[in-house]
Amino acid sequence: MIVVIPAYEPGHALVRVVQGLLLERPCLELFVVDDGSGPRYAPIFDAVRAAGGVVLSHPRNRGKGVALKSVFRHLLNIGASGPIVTADADGQHRVDDILRVADAVTAGDDRTMVLGCRGFTGPVPLRSRLGNAASRVLFRLGAGWSLSDTQTGLRGIPDAMLPWILDQVGERFEYEQNVLLRLHEAGWRVRELSIATVYEPHNPTSHFRPVVDSLRVFVPLVWFAGSSFLAFLLDTVALVVFVSITGLLIPSVIAARLLSATVNFAMNRRVVFRAQSGRRALWRQGVRYGLLATALLASNVVWMSFLTDAGLPLLLAKVITEGILFVTAYQAQRTFVFAAGRARSGEKAAPDDEDNNGAEAPHNKRIAPIVRMEEDPHLAGRTS
């Protein structure tokens, strides 16, 4: 069994967790990533080594996502096998809960990730309680399925999933959320395991920023909303112009939608979903988008006709209609129109994957080093 803990400016809780894990399971392999914490925190990592953990280091802070990928690539490099458990360094995950998740993923199948999910009961900081509530709503909207704790860092990962996880984009907290957002559509399953909700007073070692990091987590949804709003403005202006010229509602709706849909397709393909490039992919995506647009157009016409016949002004009817169709459009484009272009289980990452810097994914035999040696010459030797 392998346990991975990314750490940035950790407290003594990290040492207690490492000591507890190795006391309970002396044979487990435990990796801690010092993600650029600096000399002030060297005693903490020295204590981790003394307890029997392996410490890998980044010379500067690069984010939780990069820290996790560093260890994942290292494990592939050394040919490690068996399930991996990731945990946080701030003391929010108890030793017994980490081991329960480890046992669950070990006993499970190789297509299921085990998530340690908190119930957010008891003395939970308000920002965490509100943040998780808001994240659940946004996650349900963005992923199309529900999860009780969208921010959990306690995860049991079967080793068969490791190459796919490495292909997912993100450098900081958003990386873990990107993994969850794409799990089901890539064919993986999730099992929730209830764990204790633990917070230190004022949560001093947590570096999660509720507003900034939540926006980073759900940036595809934010971009989609922006793209949809731009299309909405273009569609609305065109609709008003066409109706004023022709006096015909339904032909004007169709003409306005054709214009706005062309712009929306281009933006969503390149900016929002970062879909696969190439002529064949473009044709495939275009056909799927056309089918979806036709279905949405039919719905748009039905809603617009119904609302305007009921006496609502044209612009108000337009706002209501677009609001109703927004969620449907996002889910359909994410899972149907542009899904084929994103990294899937056993596939190479899309060319737009910035985290791999254009290199092939590790499961294609060209494994990137944990961190480039010129960036961190001490990494390979910093072990227990």
Side-chain angles (χ1 to χ4, degrees), residues 235-236 238-259 297 300-301 314 318:
D235 200 33
T236 301
L239 176 63
V240 172
V241 171
F242 293 155
V243 168
S244 66
I245 294 174
T246 66
L248 302 174
L249 175 62
I250 292 179
S252 297
V253 169
I254 295 173
R257 181 50 54 94
L258 287 174
L259 177 61
L297 176 59
N300 188 287
V301 170
L314 178 64
K318 179 68 175 175

Side-chain angles (χ1 to χ4, degrees), residues 109-126:
D109 62 77
D110 63 0
R111 303 292 301 178
T112 302
M113 174 184 286
V114 178
L115 300 178
C117 295
R118 300 159 292 180
F120 291 90
T121 58
V124 179
L126 181 61

